[in-house]
Amino acid sequence: MSAPLKPSDVETLPRPAGLTGLAADWASDQRAFKNVSWGKAMMWIFLLSDTFIFGCFLVAYMSARMSTAVPWPNPSEVFALEIGGVHVPLILIAIMTFVLISSSGTMAMAVNFGYRRDRRKTAALMLLTALFGATFVGMQAFEWSKLIAEGVRPWGNPWGAPQFGSTFFMITGFHGTHVSIGVIFLLIIARKVWRGDFDTERRGFFTSRKGHYEIVEITGLYWHFVDLVWVFIFAFFYLW
């Protein structure tokens, strides 16, 4: 019986010089994605591209705000609500932020129970996350209808710089679309988890392999990204 080879006994090929060597070094490196599924890797790539889009929107918003000669509307006045005759600034936005951040916590717990194969708790927490997301979208729709009724349009508003309306509707609308899509996917995956599709190897979308609860984590990656983007929107749009 032959002795096992030692690392020093294995002949290694020399690294090519120049750009060829650099390309070969990157192409042979499997450590970063060696144990990562295609679904998770593709979700990370999608989130990276989406980060660029949201980043461009926020940079455009900051450029428009700093370059305008007309005063920018005061967020404490624009986004205030009258509650019991009292003018409360940013109360709706604070509740929306609390709801969305809370949904990130329930999503994290859903991923945890998913890898424990506890399908009932996983499905229940995903449904709760979807409920939080739908609540957020509903409050955003109320915010939009209130501002539209007060005269805010993409081309103007009663309080100041006309760019306010276009940047507000573009950024919050794009984010709200992401939340709505996330709610739909949460409901789809929660239904499959609740029926036990991942345990019985029932064929269908996202359920081709038995015990494959990783789709819950992939959905969670998307949801956490949506929550993180809202933190930046909240900071730049409502607090600045």
Side-chain angles (χ1 to χ4, degrees), residues 76-77 79-92 146:
S76 298
E77 299 177 1
F79 301 108
L81 289 179
E82 291 286 343
I83 301 178
V86 179
H87 196 71
V88 183
L90 300 175
I91 181 63
L92 180 63
K146 173 180 175 293

Side-chain angles (χ1 to χ4, degrees), residues 13-225:
L13 297 175
R15 179 181 180 273
L19 293 177
T20 304
L22 180 64
D25 196 27
W26 276 88
S28 62
D29 188 5
Q30 300 179 2
R31 289 175 297 177
F33 294 101
K34 186 173 182 179
N35 298 318
V36 177
S37 66
W38 277 109
K40 190 183 294 186
M42 292 302 103
M43 176 55 73
W44 276 113
I45 293 174
F46 167 75
L47 296 181
L48 180 62
S49 63
D50 226 19
T51 300
F52 291 138
I53 297 175
F54 276 107
C56 290
F57 282 173
L58 289 175
V59 169
Y61 156 71
M62 290 186 287
S63 299
R65 180 164 181 173
M66 291 186 293
S67 61
T68 180
V70 182
W72 198 262
N74 186 357
S76 298
E77 299 177 1
V78 176
F79 301 108
L81 289 179
E82 291 286 343
I83 301 178
V86 179
H87 196 71
V88 183
L90 300 175
I91 181 63
L92 180 63
I93 312 305
I95 297 174
M96 291 169 61
T97 304
F98 175 78
V99 168
L100 202 59
I101 298 301
S102 299
S103 72
S104 193
T106 57
M107 187 69 238
M109 289 190 290
V111 173
N112 184 21
F113 283 111
Y115 279 114
R116 294 182 184 181
R117 302 293 192 272
D118 192 335
R119 62 183 182 88
R120 294 189 179 276
K121 290 183 179 179
T122 302
L125 286 166
M126 292 186 75
L127 290 174
L128 182 58
T129 304
L131 177 62
F132 280 143
T135 303
F136 176 87
V137 174
M139 288 189 290
Q140 191 171 62
F142 171 79
E143 178 190 36
W144 274 41
S145 61
K146 173 180 175 293
L147 293 178
I148 292 173
E150 292 174 349
V152 179
R153 299 291 186 271
W155 53 86
N157 64 88
W159 300 291
Q163 296 94 331
F164 170 81
S166 59
T167 54
F168 171 79
F169 289 127
M170 177 183 66
I171 295 176
T172 60
F174 192 62
H175 178 264
T177 302
H178 279 68
V179 177
S180 301
I181 294 173
V183 169
I184 294 173
F185 271 95
L186 282 168
L187 294 175
I188 293 173
I189 302 302
R191 179 173 179 266
K192 289 180 175 295
V193 172
W194 184 266
R195 293 191 309 182
D197 290 2
F198 298 108
D199 299 318
T200 60
E201 204 171 355
R202 182 172 179 172
R203 303 291 294 181
F205 290 110
F206 312 116
T207 53
S208 58
R209 286 187 287 167
K210 186 175 182 179
H212 189 55
Y213 279 85
E214 190 183 39
I215 187 62
V216 178
E217 182 183 0
I218 294 173
T219 307
L221 288 175
Y222 176 86
W223 194 258
H224 293 317
F225 170 78

